[in-house]
Amino acid sequence: MSKMRAVLKVLLLMALLVSAQGWDNYWSLPDSYRTHTDKALRNANGKFGGPYHVAYNRLLSSLRITDSSFYIRVRLMVTTCKKDPNKGFGHRDECATQKPSTPWIDCVVCKPKNGAELIDCARQMDVKDRESIRSSCPTPSDYHLGGGSINLEDDGPQYGCLGCV
């Protein structure tokens, strides 16, 4: 029982640290977050910015990544750097200045219940118009804790957590 309490305390501490982290530095992201952020960067660079590079700004709240599912929301920006095919569409440290008068870009990368990956990027002001597309993503509030993991569907009692059985 005390071992379980220690594990729960560690999980709580990790959750607090993650929620307190601003994630405004691309290189401070865990690898699993960077993988999905890079997908958003590739998508946004293909759709936005014209001749200008689209770069990482920060993670937005409400993200979940497990072995079988993920939901990540990232804010990107059009920068003053020109796109360079030799450098690709990934993160570029030298491109940290937002181009004046350009909107933020809001991207969601998720795995809907149908199992296909969804990447949707839109100007922040247009996100409300994308609800019909983004609604196929299970939001973090759709997840529930049980048995030390995050599950998408209720499959009965979850063993290993207090009050679950």
Side-chain angles (χ1 to χ4, degrees), residues 39-134:
K39 294 173 188 176
L41 282 166
R42 279 190 297 277
N43 182 284
N45 268 293
K47 292 169 62 174
F48 301 102
Y52 295 95
H53 181 70
V54 175
Y56 175 81
N57 177 257
R58 71 182 186 98
L59 287 181
L60 297 172
S61 62
S62 303
L63 54 104
R64 296 283 184 268
I65 297 178
T66 66
D67 290 340
S68 61
S69 182
F70 52 88
Y71 176 94
I72 187 169
R73 194 166 158 221
V74 61
R75 183 166 71 185
L76 307 175
M77 63 182 175
V78 177
T79 68
T80 56
C81 295
K82 294 282 187 172
K83 288 182 179 170
D84 183 346
N86 296 325
K87 294 184 179 180
F89 292 136
H91 177 74
R92 291 169 46 192
D93 286 332
E94 73 274 14
C95 299
T97 304
Q98 184 176 13
K99 187 174 184 307
S101 303
T102 58
W104 294 112
I105 299 168
D106 183 307
C107 294
V108 168
V109 181
C110 74
K111 185 174 183 180
K113 291 180 181 175
N114 69 8
E117 183 175 76
L118 174 72
I119 304 169
D120 183 62
C121 295
R123 294 180 309 165
Q124 184 125 13
M125 64 187 88
D126 298 331
V127 167
K128 288 182 182 173
D129 298 336
R130 310 292 294 172
E131 288 300 320
S132 62
I133 294 168
R134 293 180 176 205

